[in-house]
Amino acid sequence: MPLSELHSSNPAFSKPTSRAARDRARLRGLLYLVCVCTDFCAFIVMFTVSRRLAEAGAEPHYLGILGAGVSFSAAIASLLGGWLSQRFDGRGVFLGGTATLLASIAACSQLDPKGSGFVAAYASLGFGLGCLYPPLIGWLNRGEADAHTNSAGVSRRLILFCVAWNLGMMAGQLTGGSLFSFGADVAFLVAFRVAVVNFILASVAASQVARLEREPVAATVAHLANQERAAVFKRLGWFANLGGMFGGSMVVHLLSDLAVAIDVTSDQQGKLMAGWRVIIIATYLVMHVSQFWHYRLSAALTSQALGAVGLVVIASANSGTVLMLGLALLGQLVGFNYFAGLYYSTAGSSTERRALAAGIHEATLAGGMAVGTIVGGLMGTWMGHRVPYYMAAGVVALMMSFQVVGWWMGGGRRDRSAERSSAD
């Protein structure tokens, strides 16, 4: 077979040929870059704020209040952003999110971190993130009416999206850990400058979205059947998100308190957080190149069980090495939940409703973070640094039981029987 025919017949070598396809590819490239910049500057701020307060002797419950404010704002903004993007033009929501992020960083750099105004400024960081991501996720799969027909293409876009924002987060945590030794003002200045660049990139991306027309959706019977099946797992993923991020929130917002208690330096903590992100990204990559987890509740429950073990390991850690082991086990759960949730939200929703589905997905993650952070902060103050992580392991187990019940009530048993019958 000629090389040209091989390339044209193999989807792995196919390239956009139409002008609309090339425009969509350029738009996605810009959106991935926005993801990197967004989480880079946001997590410089999160690391700097939590570490500065922890070293100043702030109580865990105050760290919990700050973290819960960010997560709760993100949850509300994700639902609102998804709904507004579905009913109206998502460009305004998208640009509003990037502008809010920029304003929040500026305010946090100027306000007293123990003042009441700082709580509102820090919470607005989450509001900006929540508004930004639902329309962005919806745009990534623009032009893909049936996610099941081109599952490899959908998965490729999702993996690039996941890698992009995780690289930004990892770089932000590493940079925050390094810059903190020079002072919080230096860290805030770097975050603000990147946020300015991010707003410019977002404006260019929004102008490109305006030139792309919406493609008509031709739904087939098979498409609707697959979509209904994915919708069951989409809803189960909401429970998994709540449990996984209940524990994950403590790593993001409260780990500084435990790290200071066991004499882990800020530089070491930044490296541990970066390592956590490496595990999460590796999980995305494994899920992208394999399909063993597709429509299998057992795969999701196994991941969650390992994550619960990881939380117990974190709770008992007395060194950076043991802490990294716990973070690795928890990290694979965070990665599994996020990628699976995005996949099922895309495959289980029509083109017009994907921004809303993405908003609900992000909202359940942020909701789990909000509750986990505030409850974990209070428990840390009342009962010690380690108790919140034990409690989080119990919450993960509880959400696992909810998923089993939901799977049986949602037709999982009938779906499994149908698969066995077709195999026979």
Side-chain angles (χ1 to χ4, degrees), residues 108-383:
C108 287
S109 67
Q110 299 299 316
L111 296 174
D112 178 4
K114 292 187 178 180
S116 58
F118 184 85
V119 176
Y122 192 62
S124 65
L125 193 72
F127 195 88
L129 294 172
C131 287
L132 187 156
Y133 275 118
L136 185 152
I137 295 171
W139 292 334
L140 287 177
N141 285 298
R142 177 171 288 217
E144 197 66 65
D146 185 356
H148 299 274
T149 302
N150 185 22
S151 60
V154 171
S155 180
R156 182 170 59 253
R157 292 170 205 137
L158 295 180
I159 190 65
L160 289 173
F161 164 71
C162 290
V163 169
W165 71 262
N166 272 277
L167 284 177
M169 180 184 292
M170 182 171 63
Q173 289 165 335
L174 276 172
T175 304
S178 298
L179 293 178
F180 189 81
S181 59
F182 297 99
D185 291 340
V186 175
F188 280 125
L189 179 61
V190 171
F192 180 80
R193 289 179 175 177
V194 174
V196 171
V197 174
N198 189 48
F199 182 78
I200 296 171
L201 292 172
S203 300
V204 176
S207 67
Q208 292 196 10
V209 170
R211 295 200 297 268
L212 295 177
E213 297 181 357
R214 291 182 178 271
E215 296 81 1
V217 178
T220 64
V221 174
H223 172 201
L224 294 176
N226 288 328
Q227 185 173 299
E228 182 180 355
R229 184 186 183 200
V232 173
F233 283 84
K234 174 181 68 176
R235 290 187 287 270
L236 294 180
W238 299 342
F239 289 107
N241 287 345
L242 290 171
M245 290 315 299
F246 188 95
S249 66
M250 297 178 190
V251 173
V252 175
H253 296 293
L254 300 179
L255 191 69
S256 291
D257 183 59
L258 178 60
V260 171
I262 63 175
D263 296 324
V264 172
T265 66
S266 64
D267 186 55
Q268 288 176 316
Q269 183 188 346
K271 292 177 180 177
L272 287 172
M273 296 295 285
W276 188 51
R277 281 293 142 189
V278 169
I279 298 297
I280 293 173
I281 293 173
T283 303
Y284 296 151
L285 293 173
V286 170
M287 295 177 72
H288 170 60
V289 300
S290 62
Q291 296 186 359
F292 72 92
W293 56 274
H294 282 189
Y295 305 104
R296 285 185 171 86
L297 182 61
S298 59
L301 294 179
T302 299
S303 175
Q304 290 168 64
L306 290 173
V309 172
L311 286 163
V312 173
V313 173
I314 292 172
S316 61
N318 285 301
S319 67
T321 302
V322 177
L323 199 58
M324 188 64 245
L325 174 61
L327 288 172
L329 290 171
L330 180 61
Q332 63 77 33
L333 167 59
V334 173
F336 187 102
N337 283 352
Y338 194 82
F339 192 83
L342 277 182
Y343 181 84
Y344 293 131
S345 293
T346 301
S349 306
S350 62
T351 303
E352 295 80 6
R353 297 180 64 84
R354 283 176 187 162
L356 177 59
I360 297 175
H361 169 67
E362 296 289 331
T364 54
L365 291 165
M369 289 191 72
V371 177
T373 304
I374 190 66
V375 174
L378 290 172
M379 295 293 286
T381 298
W382 296 336
M383 304 182 70

Side-chain angles (χ1 to χ4, degrees), residues 73-113:
S73 297
I76 297 299
S78 294
L79 290 173
L80 184 63
W83 179 76
L84 290 174
S85 297
Q86 177 184 308
R87 289 186 58 88
F88 305 105
D89 192 339
R91 289 174 295 162
V93 179
F94 179 66
L95 290 176
T98 55
T100 302
L101 185 70
L102 178 60
S104 174
I105 295 172
C108 287
S109 67
Q110 299 299 316
L111 296 174
D112 178 4

